[in-house]
Amino acid sequence: MRPGPRDGSLWRRPFVWKAIAGLAVIIAALSAPAWSQTRTVSIDRDLRVFTMMAAINAAGFDVELAPESHPVRQEIRKISKELDPAFLARMRQFYATHKEGQPDEAQPAKYLALALTLSGPPDFTVTIREEDMPPEARSVARFADFLKEFFVKARIPERWVLARPFYDAEAETLGPPTRDAIRQADAYLRATSGTAIVRHMSVFVELTAPKNSVYVQSAQDEYFVIVGSSSAPRTADLRHAYLHLSVDAALFSSINTVSGTSALLELVSKEDGVAREYTRDAFSMARESLVRAIELRLDRPPENERREMLDNHYRSGLLFLPFFYGALPAYEQEEEALSAYLPTMLAGLRIKDEQKRFQDKFHQIPPPQRATRLVETPPDTEVRIPPPTPLDRMRALLVDASKALNAGETDRARTTFQQVLESYDPENGSALYGLALIAGKEGDDKAARKYFEGVTQSASAEPSIKVWAQIYLGRLDDLECRRPQAVEHYQEAIKLGDDTRNAQAIAREGVAKAFGDGCDN
């Protein structure tokens, strides 16, 4: 006989519980797939970022990347009318005197970089040494002194409560296409063969930022990507940041073995139309070149577009791009992960060949057109944030319940999941799945089975949740010596096709061999 559910069942096995805990993240943000031991990605919102963007909007930042900004931003821009005039004047003086000759559209990046170094409200204190701060954040570090007072005077907590459902809805929209783009990148990188170094990319939705804007900040093994609202998810930008995160470590060690790279930097450092961030060092140029080459191999644009993109990127200063683009097809025929193959690839890099390419080609390509100035937003209007809809409130409850579950606050998570079922949607897949996790954690296999079965029938459950509900139903049947029924569940998981957290391999393993060892096969 198998042990009872409270003695050694599905929920008491460490490996299985680790998988279940990870899957809870699906409800809140982006799921953690099989490669999460190496790189993880989350999509969320951040009160530090919200407060900072609200503050610089009040202090004078007033540009937009599209004719219409998000209603949240339109509402936030009215804060300046409510602030103490003397306090507002000090903020505006700081903002105006720290523009460093750059237009308004160039300002948010350094303030957002600063926000990411701060503790949370209400103190907003810098959490790292000044010398360790990003240079752009260091230049405006004293602006943090305004945030504590601004947080209170601008009634940020009250505004945050009203805005959060819009942030959660945007994050929910962004999650599935981002997950697909990252899976595509991982397949190309063969990421499962990578190292065990944990690297993380945090994607923060920020609706008070200009529409279609994307800001990226890196800090050792962590990347931060802040995205404004958009009519279409900016998955290409998020994939670009993820590729940076993925190739950084391996490329940094490999490019240092190539001699003579400084000669290329000298060739391009003073040319018009060259992005200066590419000419700081060989690694910066090589990293962006490699990422752009990978994107071209992934997207495979038509031939005329491909040639134009190669030329434009090359003319912007990516002198390693032709080499990487030409070398990647050989990598695609190998079985190694890109991180392991890079030394072999770079062994074929000849600086003299790249110098000759530069002399023959660089000046034959017209410099890239300068980006047009961003359009200023219209004056303040009377558009107000509409009250949250029932769907907004339900999404907010699901996010809160998921976070409570991940934090180990089981009772609060259970109450909130049940509130979703009782007040909004009695068949909500995420709520049912959360309750199944809680029941399993508490050893109540009967209740877990009921909730997992509800997930499989729910129209709102994502495939990433349904596939694991089928797997766990199969394991429950295996533990109860119901092998034919278990196999049916594993086969249903295979039919779903979703491979979140290596689900397909695990389902096939379940078909081949019963879970556990307490039944006679």
Side-chain angles (χ1 to χ4, degrees):
M1 295 294 293
R2 290 189 181 275
R6 297 185 182 276
D7 300 319
S9 73
L10 170 67
W11 313 102
R12 293 293 175 254
R13 299 175 186 267
F15 169 80
V16 177
W17 177 244
K18 181 178 180 182
I20 293 174
L23 279 169
V25 180
I26 295 172
I27 302 169
L30 189 67
S31 65
W35 39 261
S36 60
Q37 292 182 354
T38 304
R39 290 179 291 278
T40 60
V41 180
S42 62
I43 299 177
D44 209 341
R45 63 271 198 286
D46 190 290
L47 185 52
R48 299 169 304 169
V49 172
F50 177 80
T51 306
M52 180 63 79
M53 280 304 305
I56 67 170
N57 270 278
F61 173 67
D62 190 18
V63 298
E64 185 57 281
L65 295 176
E68 298 180 1
S69 56
H70 193 280
V72 171
R73 184 169 187 233
Q74 294 184 28
E75 185 72 15
I76 287 299
R77 290 181 61 218
K78 299 176 184 177
I79 289 177
S80 59
K81 296 179 179 180
E82 305 174 12
L83 293 177
D84 171 65
F87 175 68
L88 181 62
R90 294 198 306 272
M91 289 180 62
R92 288 185 166 173
Q93 182 181 17
F94 184 100
Y95 179 83
T97 57
H98 287 76
K99 294 180 72 171
E100 299 176 329
Q102 297 296 313
D104 271 353
E105 56 264 30
Q107 302 306 315
K110 57 191 176 186
Y111 288 94
L112 291 172
L114 173 63
L116 296 172
T117 72
L118 302 178
S119 65
D123 296 328
F124 295 104
T125 55
V126 177
T127 59
I128 60 177
R129 297 181 303 177
E130 184 175 347
E131 57 267 30
D132 294 332
M133 295 177 68
E136 61 271 29
R138 196 182 310 142
S139 69
V140 293
R142 290 184 57 193
F143 192 79
D145 298 337
F146 291 107
L147 289 191
K148 184 173 183 179
E149 188 173 355
F150 177 81
F151 186 75
V152 175
K153 290 185 173 181
R155 297 181 289 111
I156 293 298
E158 176 184 332
R159 299 176 190 274
W160 182 236
V161 169
L162 290 173
R164 275 177 54 186
F166 295 91
Y167 282 72
D168 295 339
E170 191 81 13
E172 186 172 313
T173 299
L174 191 59
T178 301
R179 183 162 54 237
D180 291 341
I182 288 175
R183 284 177 181 158
Q184 179 196 36
D186 266 334
Y188 189 85
L189 298 169
R190 302 175 189 136
T192 53
S193 301
T195 66
I197 298 173
V198 176
R199 314 196 78 202
H200 184 71
M201 187 171 87
S202 297
V203 180
F204 294 139
V205 172
E206 187 41 65
L207 301 180
T208 65
K211 191 173 183 180
N212 297 322
S213 60
V214 179
Y215 305 95
V216 180
Q217 180 67 46
S218 61
Q220 294 183 338
D221 290 328
E222 185 155 18
Y223 265 60
F224 299 94
V225 185
I226 299 170
V227 294
S229 64
S230 177
S231 55
R234 301 293 294 247
T235 50
D237 295 297
L238 297 178
R239 186 187 66 179
H240 185 85
Y242 180 75
L243 287 170
H244 271 256
L245 179 77
S246 301
V247 305
D248 272 3
L251 182 62
F252 184 80
S253 60
S254 298
I255 196 66
N256 288 333
T257 65
V258 179
S259 60
T261 54
S262 59
L264 281 184
L265 297 177
E266 292 174 7
L267 283 175
V268 78
S269 60
K270 296 181 180 179
E271 293 285 349
D272 290 337
V274 169
R276 297 305 161 203
E277 61 266 26
Y278 302 157
T279 64
R280 289 179 300 200
D281 50 63
F283 170 67
S284 297
M285 181 189 288
R287 176 179 61 178
E288 187 68 15
S289 296
L290 176 58
V291 168
R292 292 296 184 184
I294 292 172
E295 289 174 334
L296 285 169
R297 296 297 299 173
L298 285 172
D299 296 336
R300 300 187 181 278
E303 179 62 20
N304 60 328
E305 293 182 20
R306 181 190 66 82
R307 285 197 303 267
E308 183 178 359
M309 294 171 73
L310 282 169
D311 285 350
N312 287 341
H313 289 319
Y314 186 76
R315 186 59 180 77
S316 72
L318 299 182
L319 301 192
F320 290 115
L321 176 59
F323 166 77
F324 281 124
Y325 186 77
L328 283 173
Y331 155 71
E332 292 166 8
Q333 301 304 312
E334 301 293 334
E335 296 183 356
E336 288 181 288
L338 182 61
S339 58
Y341 186 77
L342 273 174
T344 301
M345 182 184 295
L346 288 170
L349 177 61
R350 300 289 181 266
I351 297 300
K352 288 186 177 180
D353 292 343
E354 299 310 318
Q355 289 174 308
K356 185 177 186 306
R357 191 199 308 268
F358 177 86
Q359 298 297 341
D360 294 343
K361 181 175 182 178
F362 187 84
H363 293 102
Q364 302 301 315
I365 306 171
Q369 292 185 348
R370 295 184 180 274
T372 57
R373 179 173 173 81
L374 305 182
V375 180
E376 292 190 1
T377 51
D380 288 338
T381 66
E382 293 303 315
V383 177
R384 297 191 62 82
I385 301 175
T389 66
L391 180 60
D392 294 327
R393 289 191 288 269
M394 184 184 73
R395 287 168 172 164
L397 286 172
L398 288 171
V399 171
D400 288 343
S402 175
K403 288 187 174 180
L405 179 58
N406 291 335
E409 301 174 13
T410 305
D411 290 340
R412 184 166 73 88
R414 178 176 21 241
T415 299
T416 310
F417 283 132
Q418 288 173 339
Q419 184 179 349
V420 170
L421 297 178
E422 293 168 4
S423 303
Y424 297 99
D425 179 8
E427 298 180 354
N428 183 270
S430 294
L432 292 168
Y433 192 83
L435 290 170
L437 301 183
I438 293 171
K441 185 177 181 180
E442 295 177 343
D444 189 347
D445 289 0
K446 183 178 180 180
R449 179 185 292 278
K450 180 187 75 171
Y451 290 127
F452 277 135
E453 287 175 346
V455 172
T456 66
Q457 300 300 317
S458 171
S460 65
E462 291 187 4
S464 54
I465 295 176
K466 282 190 174 183
V467 70
W468 275 95
Q470 293 287 4
I471 288 172
Y472 285 119
L473 285 169
R475 289 182 170 181
L476 285 169
D477 280 331
D478 268 338
L479 291 171
E480 296 175 5
C481 304
R482 293 157 46 93
R483 183 60 182 157
Q485 292 87 340
V487 171
E488 288 181 7
H489 285 299
Y490 297 134
Q491 289 174 336
E492 287 298 320
I494 293 171
K495 288 179 184 178
L496 285 168
D498 186 274
D499 199 30
T500 298
R501 290 185 47 79
N502 206 28
Q504 293 302 303
I506 293 172
R508 289 192 293 270
E509 181 182 339
V511 171
K513 181 182 178 182
F515 179 78
D517 53 7
C519 285
D520 294 329
N521 293 324

